[in-house]
Amino acid sequence: MTETLSPALPDDIEALIERVLRAADDRGATLATAESCTGGLIASVLTDVEGRSHVFERGYVVYTNEAKAEEVAVPARLIEQNGAVSEPVARAMAEGALRASDATVAVAVTGFAGSAGPDDEPGLVHFALAAAGAPTVHEEHHFGDIGRGPVRLECLRVALRLIETAVTNR
């Protein structure tokens, strides 16, 4: 159970956090995150369970395009060509976080958590997961204009599920 966020998290997310951390611990996996629209929420829950936080290696909150380029080596040209909220950028974020850390699994999320610009889709989120010795996985989700908080919770569910799948298939 998360220590700090437990009162605010739905029970299914609490259970998923426990399963992810237990599986990572049991298999010797270490985790990293590269987060944009979730602003560090994934990293926060992965470090909030007493006795299990040692599986978390590090997290990058890369909210701006500059941060994506500087912290996890996403090429600026890739962002310019595809937009920050895109499959290529999500993949590059996950792969960059894996390379820049000592983690064996890295998850990345980039999207529009709330109201976006006139040409942007609220609730559009791209996820990627990179793991040592495995191809990078991508998922695109359309959560809709449900608000920043609900989109972030949905992102948490998806990211944790991706990590759980990667870790249990090691």
Side-chain angles (χ1 to χ4, degrees), residues 24-43:
D25 196 11
D26 290 349
R27 289 165 178 83
T30 52
L31 311 176
T33 61
E35 303 179 63
S36 185
C37 66
T38 49
L41 180 61
I42 302 164

Side-chain angles (χ1 to χ4, degrees), residues 17 21 42-50 52-54 56:
I17 294 164
L21 292 172
I42 302 164
S44 179
V45 301
L46 292 174
T47 59
D48 204 34
V49 176
E50 193 168 332
R52 297 280 191 191
S53 63
H54 60 278
F56 185 74

Side-chain angles (χ1 to χ4, degrees), residues 41-118:
L41 180 61
I42 302 164
S44 179
V45 301
L46 292 174
T47 59
D48 204 34
V49 176
E50 193 168 332
R52 297 280 191 191
S53 63
H54 60 278
V55 303
F56 185 74
E57 207 278 323
R58 72 181 71 189
Y60 302 92
V61 177
V62 290
Y63 204 70
T64 66
N65 293 345
E66 293 78 13
K68 288 173 181 66
E70 292 170 11
E71 299 296 320
V72 292
V74 176
R77 193 173 121 235
L78 191 68
I79 297 170
E80 290 166 13
Q81 290 175 340
N82 300 282
V85 179
S86 63
E87 177 178 348
V89 170
R91 287 178 178 275
M93 287 169 61
E95 292 165 359
L98 191 65
R99 275 192 311 274
S101 70
D102 291 325
T104 58
V105 175
V107 68
V109 58
T110 182
F112 302 114
S115 296

